[in-house]
Each structure stands twice: as C-alpha cells, then as structure tokens.
Amino acid sequence: MIPLTLAEVADAVDGTLVGADPAVRVTGPVEYDSRLVGPGGLFVAFAGDRADGHDFAAAAYGAGAVAVLGTRAVDGPSLVVADQLAALAALARAVLDRLPGLTVVGITGSSGKTSTKDLIAHVLSGIGPTVAPRGSLNNDLGLPYTVLKADAATRHLVLEMGARGAGHLARLCRIAPPRIGVVVNVGTAHIGEFGSVDAIATAKAELVRALPPDGTAVLNVDDARVRAMAALTRAGIVGVGESPDATLRAEDVVLDERARPSYRLCAPEGDALVRLPVSGRHQVGNSLAAAAVARACGRPLADIAAALAESAPVSSRRMDVFDRPDGVTVIDDSYNANPASTAAALRALASIGRGRRRVAVLGYHAELGGSERAGHEEVGRLAAELGVDRLVVVGDGAAPIHDGAVSVAQWGGESVQVSDQAAAIAALRAWLRPGDVVLVKGSRYRTWDVADALRGELAGAAR
Ligand SMILES: Nc1ncnc2c1ncn2[C@@H]1O[C@H](COP(=O)(O)OP(=O)(O)O)[C@@H](O)[C@H]1O
Ligand SMILES: [Mg+2]
C-alpha cells in the first residue's frame, strides 16, 4: 500500500481512532490474517463464526501492526468502523484515487477468470510492475485486499471480478474503476443464485458499462452474449476470438500432445505465432484476451506472443497436466467445475488421450440451482460422446453424470458411481494402467483428494 497516516486512513474509511496517534503512518501490508501482518501494517479484524479477529490484536501488534481496524476498540491503537468490508472498499478506493498513473484491468466471466487473469498479469508484468491477486481473490474482500497491494511503483492492477448476483460487479467497479474490462464468457456458473443465463449476462455487462469512454472493452466475440455487450459500453471495443470479425483473431489453432494450443494471432497491424505452454483449447480465447489487454497497454504484438510462450500455470488445480513415472498422465483440473469448464476439460482429455485409455473422475458440480440435474446429465453425455473409456462419478450429488453417460446408446465406455473420494481412488488403483490419461474435476468438495492420490501414493501402487 502507499504510505498513509492513520488520520488519512480513518478519514478514508469514515472511522474513529481510539488510542492511536493520527500521525503514525501505515506503511506495511493491510492484512486480515494476523499471521500475515508485517511491520507498519494494518490488521483488519473480522468477527467470523469460528474466531473473532479482534482476539488476535496482540499477535498483530507483535508482528508490527500500527493499528487494528475493527468494529470495536481493542487493547492498543484501534480504528473503529461500522463495517470492515465497507472500510476496506473505501480504503482501496482512496488509495487508487492517489494512484492516477495506474491502469486498472477488470476481468469477469463464468469460467476462466483466474486463468485469464494469470495470463494478463504475466504479459503485463513484462512492461511494468503489475499487481494481481494470487488465486481467485475476486469478491468484496479479495478485490479491495488486492488493490491495497498496489503502490506508487505499480503500473498495472489486474483484478478478477466475480459476481453472484446483480449489482456485484457494479460495486466492485466502484471500488476499483477499470479502464480495461475483459469479459471471457457467459455460462451457467452460479446460475442457482442468478436464476437465468440472461440474468448472468446482464450482471456481467456491469463491467463494460462501468468503463470510461477512453477505456477498452475486450469482448470474446465467439460468445454471442458477450458479443452483444458491445452495445452497452462507452469504451472502445476489441473483439477477440476465432470469429472472422474479431479484432484479434486466432487462426490455424493446433493442439500438441498435451493439448497445448498454437495459433496465428492476427491483428490489424500484423500477425504473430503464439505457442502456449498451458493446456486446453479454451486457453486460446483466454490468451487472446491477454493479448488484447497488453496491446491496449502499448505492448507490441511480437512481444506479446513471446511473453505468452513463457507463461506458466500459476494458480493451482487448473489444467495442471503432469506425467507420472509409470506413464499415466494426470489432468488435475479439480479446483472447480461447472458444465462449461468441464466441457473444456473433457475436450482436453479427449485431445491428450488420443490413442490412449481416457478416464474421467468427475465430482459434484455446485451452484447449479434448478439446472442441477440437467447440468450433470449434460456433462455425462458429453463425456460419453467424446469417447471417455471409463467414467468414475464421485458422490451421490454427481449421480446424474452417470445417468447422462449411460443414456448415450452408442457409447462403448463404462461408468461407475462411487460414494466418495476414497472409493474413487480404490477404483482407479484397481484399474489404471501405464499410458492411461486421467482427468480429475469437480467443485471442490475435495475431489482434488483424488488428484493428490494420483500425484502421490498411486504413483507407486500402479507401477
Ligand atoms: N475460457 C474458458 N472456458 C471454459 N472453461 C475454462 C476457460 N478458462 C478456464 N476454464 C476452466 O474453468 C475452470 C475454472 O477456471 P478459472 O480460471 O479458475 O475460472 P474462474 O476464475 O472463472 O472460476 C478450470 O477448470 C479451467 O480449466
Ligand atoms: Mg477464479
């Protein structure tokens, strides 16, 4: 964070200093986990269900915090506010207002925000200091927290923006008004909360509505709902995709044996060859968006292509493809799942597994609301249609995946329904052979235990 006095912080958050010297400066990080506080830091005490952050004030002071921001005064310099999240938002906004030279990039979409954010941060960091969240810090807590990592040296602030309902993105855009906005896609993630895909599209459009006239909206024109957002923004439009009218277009996409895409990046000013080190055809669109952002920040096309070639998977459990010593290839995409991202992962499995036995371990897909049954069935049908040889469906909630798969009459594969991760691991142990390719995917619920088992103990067992 940029150094601010406690008086300035209190003013920004509309809080009251108790037992604190207003002239003392906050120079260190703003943290809500007392273990992360450092010298000159500000500790934000939240009262959660399990623990009350105010009880950790002493630890925070011990680690160097100059004050504790909370809803009540603690035994030491305190900044008392009505609401910690609102205070964080206000502080983030106050910091950004003091950093006019910073370009804020906002990224939203139903799937691929984090993957795209990582690519954007990578390509922008080649032209100037760049702050981006680790993982998926994309909500009312994670976004202002990330903003507060920026300082006077920062040139680009890359922010993932998640939405679970109308007004969420508008609120995040008030905290950190973006100059560049990226919409990756509109799918069915969180449809349970939104109600319909159209409601999701309307909510995602809040990002492009918030852009200024001299800003840039980067829109995936291969997605009709995203393409339609061009009419909703005052900003300049850069369409990305494989559609002929995309400003930045991918042509001649080919996938290597790990489903890593290469393509010709075509722009009005020329072409460049892009070779991605990340797996999955869906990374073509993600990387085009990254190219568009970097281009809008002034990076030449050839440099962008070179930088993309050096991007590496940053956030864990997203298309993490690795080979075990026994020749089994594992695709760990177990961070989260919705029907669209599972479709992308199943296509990667089909591609990587060409000529090999293909196994998909699929767990529960959360937050589908009324589409829960249909969403799971669709995933199962696609797995069968793509020729997965063995499907392992984990947990009762995911059972319709099994139903969907076995409903595909011409499918020659087999599906087993197991009760939990341990049973899935046992099934794999009995069945896996060298050379197989295994995809692991689910909405948390520890489906990733299966990936970890494949990474660790099974490496020996299957040999
Ligand atoms: N453009 C995309 N289309 C579909 N699925 C994608 C896309 N990009 C990434 N994914 C997949 O979606 C899942 C979530 O990816 P992530 O980047 O964490 O997205 P988000 O931050 O939107 O949740 C992962 O399984 C990932 O492989
Ligand atoms: Mg994310």
Side-chain angles (χ1 to χ4, degrees), residues 1 4 8-16 30 42-46 68-71 79-95 140-141 144-145 148 175:
M1 194 176 90
L4 292 175
E8 287 168 323
V9 174
D11 184 47
V13 305
D14 200 14
T16 308
V30 178
L42 178 67
F43 175 53
V44 181
F46 282 95
V68 172
L69 183 154
T71 45
L79 175 51
V80 179
V81 298
D83 178 85
Q84 295 93 334
L85 275 184
L88 269 180
L91 183 57
R93 179 60 199 255
V95 164
D140 288 319
L141 176 59
Y145 175 78
L148 292 170
I175 300 172

Side-chain angles (χ1 to χ4, degrees), residues 150 179 216:
R179 199 174 68 73
T216 304

Side-chain angles (χ1 to χ4, degrees), residues 69 109 122-123 138 148 156 166 179 184 301 321 337 343 351 371 417:
L69 183 154
H122 172 76
V123 179
N138 66 16
L148 292 170
H156 316 107
R179 199 174 68 73
V184 181
L301 211 60
V321 184
S351 168
S371 318
Q417 163 80 45

Side-chain angles (χ1 to χ4, degrees), residues 134-415:
R134 255 186 303 131
S136 242
L137 300 176
N138 66 16
N139 60 15
D140 288 319
L141 176 59
L143 182 131
Y145 175 78
T146 303
V147 171
L148 292 170
K149 298 290 173 209
D151 61 24
T154 310
R155 292 276 72 86
H156 316 107
L157 178 59
V158 181
L159 298 173
E160 178 171 334
M161 296 185 166
R164 288 168 177 264
H168 291 191
L169 288 183
R171 190 165 67 225
L172 296 178
C173 291
R174 280 194 295 274
I175 300 172
R179 199 174 68 73
I180 302 176
V182 179
V183 187
V184 181
N185 49 38
V186 171
T188 53
H190 302 301
I191 194 164
E193 284 115 316
F194 282 101
S196 72
V197 185
D198 287 334
I200 294 175
T202 304
K204 302 280 180 218
E206 290 170 14
L207 171 60
V208 299
R209 287 180 190 276
L211 295 171
D214 65 346
T216 304
V218 175
L219 300 177
N220 170 8
V221 289
D222 295 345
D223 183 316
R225 289 191 174 84
V226 179
R227 173 187 281 263
M229 293 180 194
L232 304 176
T233 182
R234 299 171 297 165
I237 311 287
V238 177
V240 299
E242 294 175 50
S243 304
D245 62 342
T247 314
L248 287 193
R249 202 172 64 256
E251 278 187 5
D252 303 335
V253 178
V254 289
L255 304 183
D256 73 2
E257 75 288 351
R258 283 221 170 177
R260 288 171 295 212
S262 305
Y263 62 89
R264 190 164 62 249
L265 170 59
C266 306
E269 68 271 24
D271 295 359
L273 193 68
V274 172
R275 204 176 270 282
L276 296 173
V278 287
S279 295
R281 200 179 197 291
H282 57 280
Q283 299 284 8
V284 172
N286 298 349
S287 61
L288 283 172
V293 171
R295 187 169 165 270
C297 292
R299 196 157 199 202
L301 211 60
D303 288 5
I304 293 170
L308 284 172
E310 273 150 27
S311 55
V314 178
S315 300
S316 58
R317 303 190 189 284
R318 291 165 182 88
M319 292 305 292
D320 179 1
V321 184
F322 59 92
D323 291 317
R324 305 193 321 173
D326 63 357
V328 170
T329 300
V330 179
I331 308 170
D332 179 2
D333 200 39
S334 60
Y335 179 73
N336 205 349
N338 63 57
S341 71
T342 300
L346 285 169
R347 292 202 168 88
L349 171 66
S351 168
I352 294 171
R354 199 161 291 135
R356 304 164 67 178
R357 289 206 310 179
R358 305 181 253 206
V359 184
V361 182
L362 301 178
Y364 180 60
H365 288 43
E367 294 159 339
L368 291 174
S371 318
E372 180 158 317
R373 179 158 194 95
H376 284 89
E377 283 173 355
E378 175 192 326
V379 162
R381 273 197 307 275
L382 182 66
E385 282 159 13
L386 288 170
V388 165
D389 295 289
R390 167 75 64 112
L391 193 56
V392 181
V393 178
V394 190
D396 290 345
I401 295 178
H402 170 85
D403 303 339
V406 299
S407 77
V408 177
Q410 70 276 25
W411 184 39
E414 201 183 316
S415 172

Side-chain angles (χ1 to χ4, degrees), residues 47-101:
D49 296 337
R50 279 172 295 141
D52 185 346
H54 298 85
D55 296 339
F56 294 86
Y61 294 128
V66 296
V68 172
L69 183 154
T71 45
R72 57 185 155 84
V74 294
D75 192 12
S78 305
L79 175 51
V80 179
V81 298
D83 178 85
Q84 295 93 334
L85 275 184
L88 269 180
L91 183 57
R93 179 60 199 255
V95 164
L96 276 183
D97 287 345
R98 288 167 165 85
L99 296 172

